Structure formats: structure tokens, C-alpha cells
Amino acid sequence: MNFFKRAWLNLTAKKGRSILLILVTSAIMLFVLAGLLIRNAADTATSNAKKSVGATITLSANREAAFKKMRSSTSTSKKSKPKLTTSPVKLSDAKKIAKLNNISSYSATVSTSANAKGFDAISTSSSSNGGGMGMKGGMSSSSSSGDIAISGVTSTASTSAFEEKSSKITKGRGITTADEGTNNVVIESELAKEDSLSVGDTIKLKATTGSKKTYTMKIVGIYKASSSTSTEQGPGATDPSNSVYTSYTFANTVKGSKYKNTADSVTFNVSDPAKVSAVKTAGKKLINTSKYSLSTNDSSYQTVKASMDNVKSFADKIVWLVAIAGTIILALIVILMIRERRYEIGVLLSLGEARWKIVAQFFVEMVMVLIVSIVIAGAGGKFVGNKLGQQLVSQQTTTATTSSTSTQTQGGQPGGGGGAPSGGSKPSGNMNGGTPGSSSSTTTSQKQTELDVSVTVLDLVELGGFGLAIMFLSIMLASGGILRLQPKKVLIE
Amino acid sequence: MLKTNDLGYWYDRQENSLFEHVNLEFKSGTSYAIVGQSGSGKTTFLSLLAGLDKPRAGQIELNGEPINKIGLTNYRKSHVAIVFQSYNLFNYMSPLNNLLTAMAVTESSHRGDKDYAAEMLRKLGITDEQMKKNVQKLSGGQQQRVAIARTMCCDAKLVVADEPTGNLDEENTKYVIEQFQKIAHEQNKCVIIVTHESDVAKACDHSYRLSKHEFALES
Ligand SMILES: Nc1ncnc2c1ncn2[C@@H]1O[C@H](COP(=O)(O)OP(=O)(O)OP(=O)(O)O)[C@@H](O)[C@H]1O
Ligand SMILES: [Mg+2]
């Protein structure tokens, strides 16, 4: 393989030219590397986003079907008052769905209300219904609402308010699955302050419906709701500080015996958000779709994905643009170089060297240049990648925040059961007709906006691949000159 | 060893042919000079013998085999060594590397033998110091001697040279011609030299003159 030696001799003998070639190639490689880094970072960020944002599927009563039924019954018998009957979700159904692939966990939500007995609920002046004892809510809901909103949950930690940290346990602990069947309660800090309650104390709640029994509750924890939670209250809600969390079993007990082992809605966490629709399809087969509906919520995921896809496609474009521009520039340089070296090629041809070996010599020379250039580009790439990455992120974050805010505003529809903070539902509460209350305004998409821009061996290998392709293409473009060169013309004229 | 059969060549049109129906034979162990007026077609004829161009008519046979059958690249690689007026060395290499490269490309039997290459260079008066410098730092006469040493390192039995002494002074010319004679007689090669210098032509065993589109033996 004599052309290797020739390539080496040529590069070392013509140092000035070699250095210039290395500089030009380094610049091109640096741009390609910057593009690759951003693209890879966007890739990682997207998969991180999948993990951290997650997506949910909510099983709830099929209100649409219920409305239809109500309407058809009104048209047939005009005398009867229209009545909307929805069936609570059976936990046995929920357990079946929970066994599907890609479902990591689930939590049930039951909303109801009760009246405070022996302590004062917080009354807000702006509230349309001053939450006194026995006063009924102003809503047209058939069930009367009390001044304490009860959120029955599987665990407080799995509710969106706590997951997004708009609510925090400040004293004691939250509700867990261990609280099933108990009368343990977690109350808001304002309510605790107002009534001088602390962890370990007991309070009494009187049911407004069903048995109208009075229950003695044990306070196991106190949580603090951030102010933003209170901003989007429906008109039917009492002050957000009157929201308490209990196990869903207790909420069912308050609602009445027929609600045993049911929930208003059950939210399933899907481990891989990309599989949401597949999981939904599988889940639908397990339930009676005329009574229940499955709704998906992967809007946060979609928002993040969309913004990350933007970065990615931008980075892709950079990579290709630079690769094409680099190929053209290098091809021109190689063509010029080959013209300059016609004489040398002529000598080789007169010695009977095969043309492909002459092309190979040029290729080897360029690969040697490429190797040095990749080392230089690798050193400089981190710096450039960092700067570009920051720039892109600051742009993309703005987009992500804007779009996620617009989703948020759809949340927080007033519901029938009093103003409990939304249970397991994710930010955009637009799917859960039955789940009342507020929606938190935190944007989950802001978590993964840090693009990790660091040069790995893999990046350099990928860069090398790109470089080789660029070199190969430009040599191919330029080699036409070598293949057509007539030795007689070069040597004799 | 080398025969031309009805060889003919023209650039644009056959009416303006430089020569036609050329039937010459060149033997190994012999040196030949080709002389003629400027523009008569000597270089063109030599480039056909060297396999750098294809004839328009007729063919060239090497030991009875047409060279286009051997393949021109293969023919140049294995059977012919060329010396030009302008030396045609690799300008980015030392004389030693020039020889080693040529030996590698032509797959010479001495391929890779640095000592052999150095010996050939010494034979032609290139000092050990000179043979490691870049060839461009050598004088014209020295460079031509390197080019001649190159032909001695290759196995090719045919050596063609186009005005090898064109850029050299009298002393160097004499020296170079002596070397070509040695190559022909000691290495038993066939040496064909195109020249316009009568001293060079006289030194060769035979001399052909190309005039009026024909080759005529002078001596
Ligand atoms: N590429 C070409 N295209 C057309 N005509 C050419 C070409 N090369 C040479 N000729 C012509 O062919 C003729 C022979 O050229 P050639 O170089 O063989 O002459 P020569 O005998 O070597 O002359 P000199 O002694 O000056 O070197 C010249 O008249 C020249 O003008
Ligand atoms: Mg000539």
C-alpha cells in the first residue's frame, strides 16, 4: 500500500498547505459537530421529557352517552324532569386496566363534600355561597354540597397538585394506600391555623347526603396549597383552604353505601407516553364504553415533544446544511489541489500507477487531515455546542411555556360535587367532566429544558462518519479530473 | 524486443499525419538515438513507444505481444522506464524516496531495498547527503541523474528518454550519455533516446532520423 506512504510524505513535505487544509476541515467539522451535538441533546431531552412528563389515561363516567340518554328520555316522556345519571367507575374495572402493559400506577379520585362540625370552615367574601352550616351550594347539582370539600384519593402523592408541587405537605404525612378504610384526613394549613388544629387532633364532619352521619376524623397531615391554586376556582367552590384529603374509601362512605368500591375517576400513569393511544385502545376493550369513557392526557408530553422536535429538526437542518456546504467547499479545494498536482499525477501515471490508487492517495491524505481536524473540532465543539444549545433552549422554552399556558386555561371547569382540588387529573382538566375544581398552573414542560451538550466518543465517531462521507464525496467529485487526465499531455506539454 | 508494425500517427487529420507505415525494430542491449527537426514528431513517436498514447494506425509489439493487449498502464508499469527533459520527479520527496516510490509503484524486484536505491544514486554521483534532501534543492544535472537512477532501479527492459540532456551542460551531458550506454550494455536493456544533439546521437549504437514523415537509419 504505497499510496499511504506517498500521502504521508506529501502532507509532511507541504506543511503550509496541510495546515491550511486542516484549518478549513476543522471549521467544517466544527459546524457539523455543533449540529450533531444539538441534535443528540434534543434526542436525549425528548426521551427525558417522556420519562419526566409522563401521560395519563383517565377512566370516568361516559357523560356524553349519559347526556344522550337524558335527552332521548326527555323527548319520549315530556313530563319527567331531565335527569343526568352517570355511573361511578367500578374499581374492579380499574384494576383490570391497571394490569395492561405500560401502566405504571393508578390512583382513584372520589370527590364529595361534608359540613364542618365543631370547627369553622373558612369563608371567603367573594364566594357566592357563604359556607355556613347546612347551607346548600348554589349549583344546580342534585346533590347538596357542604362547606368542606373532600378529595378521596388513593394517595396524595399521586395527585397532580402534589406531583406538580403546587401543594406540599408541611406537617405530618400525606394520604397513602395504607389509609384505606380509615378516617384519616389531611387538611390545609390555613384551615389548621384558623381552628388551631395540628397533627394528631380530631375533627368532625357531617355528611350532607346519604346517611347524614357524623364522622370523627383524625388529622395525619397538614398541606399548604400555593396561592396559584386558588386563582382558578369554579364559582361553585368553597374556599380552597376548605379542601381536605382523605382516602377514597372514606369519600365513598360519605357518599353512601352504593358508592362502595367505586370512584369518580381513576387515573392511570402511562410509563411510556408514546404508547398512550395503544394503551387506551386496549383499555377500551375491558370496559363498558356506553357507561364509561377513557380519556387520555398527554398534552404536556405533546407540548414538550413538539418543542423538542423543533430543536431537533433545526439541528438536523444545520447538520445537513453544513454537510452539504462542507462537501462543496472541500470538493472545490480538492479539485484545485488536483489541478495543482497534475504533474505529480502525470509522473505516477507514467510509472504505470493505477488511477484508483492515485485517487486512494488523495483520499488517504484527506482522511489524515480529517483525523487531526476531528480532534481540533472535538476540543472546540463543546464550547460552540454549549453556546448554541443555550441559545436554542432559551428560544424553545418561550414557545413551550406559551403553548402550555394556553392548555392550562381550559382547565378548571366548575363541577357538581363542590370545589375540591382536582384529583389525579393532569394539568389540562378538560377531559374530566366529572372531576371538579381547580387546575394548577405549573408547567411541567419546563423541567427538561436543559440541553445536555457534551462531546462524547460516540459524537466523535458520528462526526468521523460524516467527515468520511464528506471527504469521500468531494474526492469522488474531484477525481473525474484524475481519471480523465492524459499522462502524455501532462508530461510532454 | 520492440517492434513497430505499420505504425501511424496524426493529431487532427490523416492527411497531416506525422508518420505512417513505420516498421522499426529495437533490440535489447542496444542504444538508439532518434533525431530530426523540431516538430517532426519525435516526441509523439516516443510517447507511443512509452505507452503514453495509442497509435492511430498499426501497433507496437513487445516480444511479439501487442502492447495494447498487455494494457498500457500495465505496460508502463512493468516494461518501460521513461526519462524526460524536465526530469519528472516527485517534487515533495527526497531522491531516495523518489526511487523507493518508483520501485514500489512498478513492483520492482528490488522493491523496498533502500540500500540498493542508495547504491544506484551513488553510482550516478549523488552523495548520501543529497539523496536525503528534497529533490528540488538539487541542480538540473543532479535531478536528471536521479531520474536515470530511477530507471536503473526498475525492472523495465525498455528505457525511453526524451531530450534527457536538453537542460544539461556539456560535462553533465557526457556523463548522462555514458550512463545510458552502461544501462544498455551492462543491464542488457533497450535504450531509445530522442535528441537534437549530434554528440548524443553519435554516442548511441544506432541513430534514426525522422524526416519527411519517414525514419531513416543514419548509422
Ligand atoms: N496535442 C497536440 N495536438 C495537435 N498537434 C500537436 C499536439 N502535440 C504536438 N502537435 C504537433 O505535432 C507535431 C509534432 O510534435 P512533437 O512534439 O512530436 O515534435 P518533436 O519532434 O518532438 O519536436 P521538438 O524537437 O521541438 O521537441 C508538431 O508540429 C506539433 O505542433
Ligand atoms: Mg520533442
Side-chain angles (χ1 to χ4, degrees):
Chain A
M1 291 293 118
N2 185 248
F3 56 83
F4 278 99
K5 196 184 167 197
R6 288 202 309 266
W8 175 250
L9 285 173
N10 192 290
L11 285 176
T12 48
K14 297 178 177 169
K15 288 200 182 65
R17 196 194 62 189
S18 304
I19 288 169
L20 272 176
L21 265 178
I22 286 171
L23 286 180
V24 171
T25 314
S26 298
I28 294 169
M29 287 297 106
L30 196 62
F31 285 121
V32 176
L33 179 62
L36 285 177
L37 285 178
I38 295 166
R39 197 190 60 182
N40 290 354
D43 265 345
T44 324
T46 310
S47 61
N48 282 348
K50 282 179 191 170
K51 280 176 210 148
S52 63
V53 179
T56 57
I57 291 184
T58 303
L59 173 66
S60 56
N62 190 339
R63 286 172 64 84
E64 218 175 286
F67 271 119
K68 241 183 223 164
K69 207 171 160 191
M70 177 186 83
R71 259 179 258 120
S72 62
S73 65
T74 346
S75 57
T76 47
S77 57
K78 285 189 177 172
K79 279 172 199 166
S80 69
K81 212 178 163 189
K83 198 174 179 227
L84 184 66
T85 41
T86 56
S87 330
V89 172
K90 277 186 278 180
L91 285 179
S92 54
D93 280 348
K95 273 173 190 148
K96 273 190 253 166
I97 294 175
K99 283 195 184 108
L100 289 171
N101 279 341
N102 287 311
I103 289 195
S104 53
S105 62
Y106 73 99
S107 65
T109 312
V110 181
S111 296
T112 185
S113 64
N115 282 324
K117 200 175 177 192
F119 70 101
D120 291 326
I122 295 189
S123 56
T124 339
S125 52
S126 66
S127 183
S128 58
N129 49 332
M133 278 278 276
M135 269 193 83
K136 290 190 177 178
M139 295 297 285
S140 58
S141 160
S142 58
S143 65
S144 44
S145 57
D147 48 13
I148 298 291
I150 299 171
S151 281
V153 295
T154 315
S155 74
T156 44
S158 64
T159 64
S160 62
F162 283 89
E163 265 188 351
E164 286 151 19
K165 304 199 167 46
S166 62
S167 290
K168 267 192 211 106
I169 297 289
T170 51
K171 278 188 196 114
R173 59 171 182 84
I175 297 293
T176 65
T177 45
D179 292 307
E180 275 176 32
T182 68
N183 286 4
N184 291 342
V185 68
V186 172
I187 63 169
E188 214 277 327
S189 57
E190 287 299 323
L191 185 69
K193 216 190 276 171
E194 185 80 15
D195 292 293
S196 311
L197 295 168
S198 55
V199 174
D201 290 349
T202 53
I203 51 172
K204 283 199 173 81
L205 289 177
K206 189 168 188 293
T208 52
T209 53
S211 58
K212 306 217 174 185
K213 263 203 247 165
T214 302
Y215 301 92
T216 306
M217 313 294 296
K218 188 179 174 215
I219 299 171
V220 292
I222 292 172
Y223 76 94
K224 179 153 179 49
S226 75
S227 53
S228 70
T229 319
S230 60
T231 54
E232 291 180 54
Q233 284 293 319
T238 67
D239 189 276
S241 296
N242 292 333
S243 290
V244 302
Y245 287 96
T246 68
S247 172
Y248 71 95
T249 53
F250 174 76
N252 279 339
T253 314
V254 173
K255 280 173 96 171
S257 55
K258 70 170 176 172
Y259 288 96
K260 203 169 180 208
N261 286 325
T262 66
D264 290 348
S265 67
V266 178
T267 301
F268 303 90
N269 288 316
V270 181
S271 50
D272 183 356
K275 299 262 165 61
V276 160
S277 57
V279 174
K280 184 184 175 182
T281 314
K284 268 189 170 171
K285 287 182 188 140
L286 300 174
I287 56 164
N288 178 353
T289 46
S290 65
K291 272 186 170 171
Y292 307 111
S293 72
L294 269 181
S295 57
T296 57
N297 183 359
D298 57 353
S299 60
S300 306
Y301 166 70
Q302 296 296 353
T303 308
V304 171
K305 191 172 174 287
S307 71
M308 284 306 172
D309 282 352
N310 269 347
V311 179
K312 228 170 97 177
S313 80
F314 182 65
D316 268 341
K317 276 178 200 139
I318 293 181
V319 171
W320 285 113
L321 214 81
V322 172
I324 291 166
T327 307
I328 293 169
I329 293 170
L330 276 174
L332 287 175
I333 290 175
V334 174
I335 287 169
L336 283 175
M337 190 172 86
I338 285 172
R339 287 175 73 91
E340 176 213 328
R341 290 168 70 178
R342 273 165 57 107
Y343 188 73
E344 177 194 344
I345 297 166
V347 177
L348 282 167
L349 288 174
S350 77
L351 286 171
E353 181 69 310
R355 284 168 200 263
W356 74 262
K357 282 187 184 165
I358 299 173
V359 177
Q361 180 193 337
F362 284 102
F363 187 64
V364 170
E365 282 179 25
M366 294 310 278
V367 169
M368 287 175 179
V369 165
L370 182 69
I371 290 168
V372 180
S373 300
I374 284 174
V375 174
I376 294 173
K382 189 169 171 57
F383 179 76
V384 174
N386 258 331
K387 288 270 172 256
L388 264 166
Q390 280 165 9
Q391 187 81 34
L392 280 168
V393 163
S394 64
Q395 273 173 14
Q396 290 308 320
T397 312
T398 333
T399 339
T401 318
T402 324
S403 53
S404 60
T405 322
S406 65
T407 340
Q408 296 306 321
T409 49
Q410 295 168 10
Q413 294 162 324
S422 66
S425 78
K426 284 282 171 182
S428 85
N430 53 348
M431 300 295 188
N432 306 326
T435 314
S438 62
S439 95
S440 62
S441 61
T442 41
T443 45
T444 40
S445 53
Q446 271 170 327
K447 281 181 212 160
Q448 53 289 314
T449 45
E450 276 161 41
L451 283 181
D452 173 35
V453 186
S454 59
V455 183
T456 63
V457 177
L458 207 75
D459 290 330
L460 292 181
V461 168
E462 201 176 350
L463 181 66
F466 255 96
L468 274 180
I470 290 175
M471 289 302 181
F472 186 77
L473 269 175
S474 40
I475 296 281
M476 281 299 121
L477 287 173
S479 66
I482 301 175
L483 298 177
R484 265 185 280 114
L485 205 65
Q486 287 300 315
K488 185 188 165 197
K489 278 198 178 131
V490 184
L491 296 171
I492 292 165
E493 278 151 32
Chain B
M1 69 177 271
L2 196 71
K3 253 175 84 179
T4 65
N5 294 332
D6 276 337
L7 202 66
Y9 197 92
W10 54 87
Y11 279 101
D12 35 22
R13 278 181 296 159
Q14 192 169 2
E15 299 95 270
N16 303 334
S17 70
L18 292 168
F19 45 83
E20 269 184 282
H21 306 292
V22 177
N23 291 290
L24 296 176
E25 198 174 348
F26 302 94
K27 294 194 170 76
S28 51
T30 317
S31 65
Y32 299 85
I34 292 172
V35 293
Q37 276 189 329
S38 180
S40 56
K42 304 182 295 292
T43 298
T44 308
F45 180 68
L46 201 72
S47 70
L48 297 180
L49 298 186
L52 291 168
D53 203 353
K54 288 182 200 128
R56 301 281 181 179
Q59 61 182 20
I60 299 164
E61 279 178 14
L62 178 78
N63 300 322
E65 195 180 1
I67 61 168
N68 52 318
K69 236 177 149 186
I70 300 170
L72 288 191
T73 300
N74 214 4
Y75 172 72
R76 288 198 301 269
K77 178 164 142 183
S78 312
H79 303 290
V80 62
I82 314 170
V83 178
F84 298 86
Q85 184 175 354
S86 49
Y87 328 126
N88 282 6
L89 299 169
F90 296 106
N91 58 12
Y92 57 89
M93 292 184 194
S94 64
L96 201 58
N97 273 327
N98 257 283
L99 263 56
L100 288 169
T101 300
M103 286 155 83
V105 170
T106 61
E107 290 167 14
S108 152
S109 51
H110 297 288
R111 176 169 28 156
D113 191 342
K114 223 173 173 171
D115 295 336
Y116 183 81
E119 194 191 316
M120 292 299 123
L121 285 167
R122 261 181 237 120
K123 256 189 174 176
L124 284 157
I126 305 294
T127 66
D128 284 30
E129 194 203 339
Q130 286 164 341
M131 65 180 74
K132 288 188 176 100
K133 285 203 277 193
N134 185 291
V135 280
Q136 284 176 310
K137 287 177 180 155
L138 268 58
S139 74
Q142 288 163 342
Q143 287 192 45
Q144 194 61 299
R145 280 184 267 160
V146 173
I148 293 166
R150 181 171 66 186
T151 68
M152 291 159 70
C153 288
C154 298
D155 296 343
K157 286 285 175 201
L158 176 66
V159 176
V160 299
D162 190 6
E163 314 262 15
T165 58
N167 289 338
L168 305 182
D169 61 12
E170 215 174 307
E171 202 183 328
N172 268 307
T173 301
K174 233 182 120 189
Y175 186 79
V176 162
I177 292 305
E178 269 170 36
Q179 296 309 318
F180 274 117
Q181 290 298 96
K182 275 190 190 166
I183 291 171
H185 302 142
E186 288 173 17
Q187 297 193 342
N188 194 34
K189 292 185 178 180
C190 174
V191 178
I192 304 170
I193 304 169
V194 164
T195 181
H196 61 263
E197 291 171 71
S198 52
D199 290 351
V200 176
K202 273 177 206 153
C204 292
D205 301 338
H206 298 287
S207 170
Y208 285 104
R209 175 169 293 275
L210 174 58
S211 79
K212 292 171 187 154
H213 316 292
E214 301 217 337
F215 285 88
L217 188 65
E218 285 205 321
S219 63

